[in-house]
Structures are given as C-alpha cells and as structure tokens.
Amino acid sequence: MKLIKLNKLSLSVLTLMFLISCSESYLEVEPKGTSLEENYYKNEAEAYSGLVAVYDIIGKQSKGFENMIALLNSGSDDHYTGGGSSTDGAQLQGFSNYTIDPSTIATSYWTDFYQGIFRANTMLLKLPEVEMDESLKNRFTAETKALRAIYYFELVRMFGNIPLITTPLTSDEFYSVVQTNPNEVYTRIETDLLEAIPDLPMSLDLANEAGRLTKGAGKAMLGKVYLYQGKNTEAANQLSEVNGTPGSISSFGYKLLDDFADLWVISNTYNTESIIEIAHTDKSNADWGNWGSGADEGNSLNIMVCPRGFTRTSGSTAPDYVSGWGFSIITQDLYDAMSGDPRFDSTIEDIQAWSDAGQVEYEHSYQNTGYYLKKFMPLKSDTSTGGGADALNYKQHTYMIRLADTYLMEAEALGGTGARAQALLDAVRARVGLSSIPVTMEAIYNERRMELAGEGHRWYDLVRTGRAATVLADRGFVAGKNEILPIPLPELENTALVQNPNY
C-alpha cells in the first residue's frame, strides 16, 4: 500500500503528525517540526497535538479537489461531474459514467484515510504512557477510537475489501498485509465506537472545543454503521437516543432548525441540527503548493461547484456568485423531482435562467444543464481577504451527519412503518412546511433525496438499498462490480493486496 511506502523510510519519525496547521481554535497547533516517536507523547500538550493530527483527516469530506462530497455526487443520478471537459477530474468523470478503473481513481481516497488510521494507531499505542489527567486521557482515547472507526467506515463502504490494521506496522510487515473480510472490519468499527461512546462528552464548550466528537456523534455514527449492515433494531436503538422526540430538543441538545435555509448560512456554525460538522477557515493561507495537505483548511467544494466564468451584467439583480469550476452539475432529473419542493430554492440555482434573462454570463460546463448546487455556492463577499489563493480559502463548514439525516435513518431502520417512523418523517417535512404523507420506505427514500441533495449521501443510499443498478443503469452501473470502487493501482504494486472483482 502506498500508506506503507510513505512511511517505510523511518517508522520512528512522525513527520506527518507534526506538519499540521489546522483552522479553528480547537485544532490550532503550531508546527512542531519532526520529533522521534520515542521522544514524543510525554505530556498532555504533545498528546493533544497528536489528537489534532488524527482529526485532520476528517476534513476530506470537503477539503482538496479529491474530496468525498464531489466524488460521491459524481456517481449519483442527481449530478453530472461537470468541470471544463470530459477529462477534467478524470476520477470524477470515470465515476460518473462508470468507466473508472484502477489507473484513474485517485490514490488519496485510499491513502488519506489510512494515514488517519496510522495516526490513530500510533496515538492509541502511546496514550497509556502519557503523563496527563486520567479522565482527559480517556477522552482522547475515545475520540481517537471513534475517528479510527469513521475512517474505516469510509474505506469499507468505498472499497469493500480492505486491510484491517490496528497497530503501527513494522518494516517487515510493509508488503505482506492482506485484506480482511468486510464483516470483520465492521466488527472493529462497532467495537471502537462502543468503547468510545462512554468516554465522549455529552456536550462541548464551543469556544474551545467546537468540532470535536461528542457522545451523540458517536451514537449517530454507530446507528449509521448498524443501518448499513442491516442491523435495523440496533440502528433504531442508537438513533432514537440521538433523535429524542421528533421535532423537539433531544437529550443531546439536538433540534431541527426552524428554517431549512439557515443550514446554509455560512456563519451559522455548530447549530442545533449539526451532529458531526467539518470545520473550514478562510485564514489558513492555503496556496496551490499545499492544496489538499494538512496545512490547507479551506472548503474546496465551494469553488468547485460555482459556475465557470461567472459574471453579472451591468445592473444585474442576480446573486454575485464566485466564478468557479462548474462541478457537481445538477441533473434535469433532480431538478424535476425537486420542483415545487420548499427546499428547492436553497438547493438548486438556475444559472441558465439568469443567463436567459440577460442578468449573468457564464461558461457552460461539460454536460451543462444550467443548474448548480446552491447549498455550497459562495458569494464574492465570502472570498478570503487573507493570504494564499482566493479559490482555496473558503470557510463554509459542511455536515457529515445532521439531525434530519438521523431522523430519516431511524425511520428507515424501523422498517418505514409505525407511529414513530411516521412522526420522524413528518417532522422533517413539517420543518419545510410540507404536510404529512403515509410513511413507507419509498417515502423515506424520497425524503432523503430532497432533504440531503448534493451533500454526498445519494450514491450510498442507492447502493445500500439495492436500487443503484436500476437507477444508474443509463450511467453504465454494473451490478456486482460498481457497488465498490477499484483499489488504486499503486496500492497493489509489490503488495499482497488483490484487486476488487471485475476491475
């Protein structure tokens, strides 16, 4: 694996632990240079630095060009990849039309999460000997285990057949690692989360701890992990604790926002609907030389989804969006499905309509429909005034899990039937002014599509519910193959790893 190759020169030098500069106060750690493994983790400050490094990988949801949301949107029926041409973002284009292969998939989808796992494994090895308050040490351990579980969940969903590595590797293990049965990986994920949850805090001091994992976040993730395995009773039990009484404040302080549009107000961070939130900043001074690295803390999805060559004409009343790269184009199918839905205006921006009215000019993306993902489109007034490249320093946070998502997951885990499933579905609809409809699995699936459009959930929803082969047939999706992605070719070279079936 490339992860192993990256570290084979010296396992004792943790350069990837200490060359991190993160955004928010809870993740601000000055670069430490390089420290030998045996001389580090001697006190609380050094342990905190290591914890920051483990957290850093969670930003892959919307950080860097090879972020998860852009990838997953490309593979769904709700989006075309877009971009400048059919070759712009080869791995995204290949996923969109199901020609992706081991040579075109970006290696970072594999190596970044294994880098997080490497950091977590090192933390868990070293923490027992760190001189620090025992309760705080338990919390650090819990956060690290929960993060390792999240990274393994990302990998096993994406690739299926992956190695399970729970301790730092020695040099003689570099090329002999083999893949593990996915069921064993899921068991490890469950174990990590079950062990973590008791020592995660109920709530956070947002002035100093914003963005860290809580007990509610751990339970939400565990419920999702159970749901993906068809363990519906267990999933419903975990998610019901997170959700509480539908429409009311849960014991963890979660509550649906009154206005769906407020979810996308850039300043509205860590609101009552947010369960796991990815922080970004416009102050990391990210530039092209460190884009996608640990020093880059901007939201790359923001620039990616804005229309290419966008300008307003003289006297225009159109929103003054940033000129971007034109990815995650909305399909006509999603546009039609959402027409008349109250969430449409916060989700989709019809740039072509503005253009037809003479209000704006823009360059058509590849497979252009004229419809763009408004949830993540910044205005020019949101552009950073700091250092680095403007395009790489947008600050909108993204939701990895939010409450409407867990409401609908619980309703699904309940089999789409019964009074509680009905109440959960009704609460999501009532928030946007929609009346009650009879709860069914189909109604829940459709509500997830409307509520979570463009947030990176749709592709996995289709795959895990067995609908992908039908819904994505015209894209080239092949059952028994495309439910998982090919393992990047560099990870197979000189290793014992085996490529996924039919790739």
Side-chain angles (χ1 to χ4, degrees), residues 317-366:
T317 58
D320 196 12
Y321 291 119
V322 168
S323 177
W325 303 344
F327 286 94
S328 285
I329 297 295
I330 302 288
T331 62
Q332 187 68 49
D333 188 57
L334 179 62
Y335 181 96
D336 293 343
M338 290 202 74
S339 292
D341 189 284
R343 289 159 290 205
F344 181 98
D345 286 343
S346 294
T347 303
I348 299 174
E349 185 64 89
D350 188 345
I351 297 296
Q352 187 58 48
W354 286 111
S355 177
D356 291 344
Q359 296 281 311
V360 307
E361 296 177 354
Y362 78 109
E363 176 187 338
H364 287 193
S365 291
Y366 175 61

Side-chain angles (χ1 to χ4, degrees), residues 352-384:
Q352 187 58 48
W354 286 111
S355 177
D356 291 344
Q359 296 281 311
V360 307
E361 296 177 354
Y362 78 109
E363 176 187 338
H364 287 193
S365 291
Y366 175 61
Q367 295 182 303
N368 183 67
T369 61
Y371 311 134
Y372 288 78
L373 182 52
K374 186 176 180 179
K375 286 180 178 178
F376 302 117
M377 288 170 58
L379 300 171
K380 286 183 181 176
S381 58
D382 298 315
T383 302
S384 171

